[in-house]
Amino acid sequence: MAKTVFVTGATSGIGEAAARAFAEEGDNIIITGRRAVRLKELKKQLEAEFCVEVAVLMFDVRDRKQCFAALESLPEALREIDILVNNAGLALGLEHIDEGDVNDWDTMIDTNIKGLLYITRCVARGMIERGCGHIINIGSIAGTQCYENGAVYSATKHAVHALSQGMRIDFLAHGIKVTEIRPGMVETEFSQVRFHGDRSRAHGVYNGLTPLTGDDVADAILWVTSLPEHVNIDEIVITPKQQANAYYTCRK
């Protein structure tokens, strides 16, 4: 039976790959983001390739009112959301605290923490009413390991780690699964966004190693949702073979 899957930040990278993976399984998809052209193109592709229903919601997860209004605008057939993939998030800048851009900090905190909370609050209520559902939070290895110049981003992902554990407890009696997936280096638009569009600097992050792809993480997302109803995967850390943790890589 087809499920309804809600994926935030679906215009590229892990979010786009996850939407595609679930559509290939025959699930109906709700995709969100701020880039209308990309969302509409993805909707067109998924509906044509997999004959599923795809709804597009264009809004900024940092805006609480937009989040709540977007969820209220969903067609009745897609309001019973079975799986939520909280993927929307970003890193901005790579400087020591004393040199960091305060606007970058605000954007990371508002997107990575508050946006995740707003969406979860909206979607979880329906899951509680039905006594089932699965929430997947895309964290980072930075959620348990800080690294130089990444303090604020790491702090936001530490928050995602804590929120995932707290959600697991809060939703335990309601039959809702909660999984946190913490990837290491994934070559998406992540580094390009971090360096404010500097493609050369972004590409250099992955020199000498083979990073994960959005599809690799999407495979993990799909797997945790495919397990028997009584099984919950609390957390997964997934890294490239050439990356041991946030500090150590083997570049060739």
Side-chain angles (χ1 to χ4, degrees):
M1 182 176 177
K3 297 176 181 176
T4 298
V5 183
F6 189 114
V7 183
T8 66
T11 56
S12 65
I14 294 170
E16 180 181 347
R20 187 173 296 279
F22 281 111
E24 190 170 359
E25 292 292 305
D27 296 323
N28 297 315
I29 314 295
I30 303 162
I31 50 176
T32 81
R34 292 182 296 164
R35 292 177 285 189
V37 173
R38 288 199 182 188
L39 288 174
K40 290 175 181 177
E41 181 60 31
L42 181 58
K43 170 184 168 69
K44 181 179 177 181
Q45 290 175 5
L46 297 182
E47 290 180 337
E49 290 180 38
F50 306 115
C51 297
V52 297
E53 186 173 355
V54 180
V56 167
L57 298 178
M58 194 185 73
F59 64 95
D60 189 338
V61 297
R62 295 176 295 173
D63 188 313
R64 182 176 65 226
K65 291 182 179 179
Q66 285 187 27
C67 289
F68 295 166
L71 269 292
E72 286 297 319
S73 73
L74 280 172
E76 197 66 35
L78 293 177
R79 290 200 173 190
E80 292 192 0
I81 296 164
D82 301 292
I83 298 168
L84 166 63
V85 182
N86 275 318
N87 168 72
L90 77 170
L92 289 171
L94 195 67
E95 305 90 8
H96 285 173
I97 286 286
D98 57 299
E99 299 172 338
D101 185 322
V102 175
N103 292 319
D104 285 350
W105 296 354
D106 287 344
T107 300
M108 286 188 282
I109 291 167
D110 290 346
T111 304
N112 299 357
I113 303 174
K114 294 163 82 173
L116 181 146
L117 283 169
Y118 297 155
I119 296 298
T120 300
R121 191 177 190 278
C122 291
V123 174
R125 289 186 167 189
M127 291 181 173
I128 288 171
E129 289 175 3
R130 297 187 301 277
C132 63
H134 197 157
I135 297 171
I136 299 161
N137 296 326
I138 304 302
S140 167
I141 57 171
T144 54
Q145 303 167 4
C146 291
Y147 55 88
E148 187 176 6
N149 294 319
V152 177
Y153 173 70
S154 296
T156 66
K157 289 302 186 178
H158 273 66
V160 172
H161 183 48
L163 286 169
S164 298
Q165 294 177 325
M167 288 180 196
R168 181 86 169 91
I169 297 166
D170 287 353
F171 296 145
L172 188 63
H174 299 292
I176 299 171
K177 298 183 180 186
V178 178
T179 300
E180 181 195 13
I181 297 181
R182 298 201 301 277
M185 299 175 77
V186 186
E187 188 167 14
T188 61
E189 294 182 0
F190 178 86
S191 290
Q192 188 176 326
V193 171
R194 162 166 263 172
F195 298 129
H196 299 281
D198 188 333
R199 293 175 181 268
S200 177
R201 192 178 178 191
H203 183 71
V205 172
Y206 311 107
N207 282 345
L209 57 77
T210 303
L212 300 173
T213 66
D215 288 334
D216 294 327
V217 182
D219 286 344
I221 295 170
L222 199 63
W223 175 70
V224 301
T225 64
S226 70
L227 299 173
E229 180 57 31
H230 69 286
V231 177
N232 185 82
I233 302 298
D234 287 3
E235 56 187 72
I236 291 177
V237 178
I238 174 172
T239 60
K241 183 173 67 172
Q242 292 170 264
Q243 181 183 24
N245 54 34
Y247 327 105
Y248 295 105
T249 59
C250 178
R251 298 174 186 266
K252 298 179 179 178

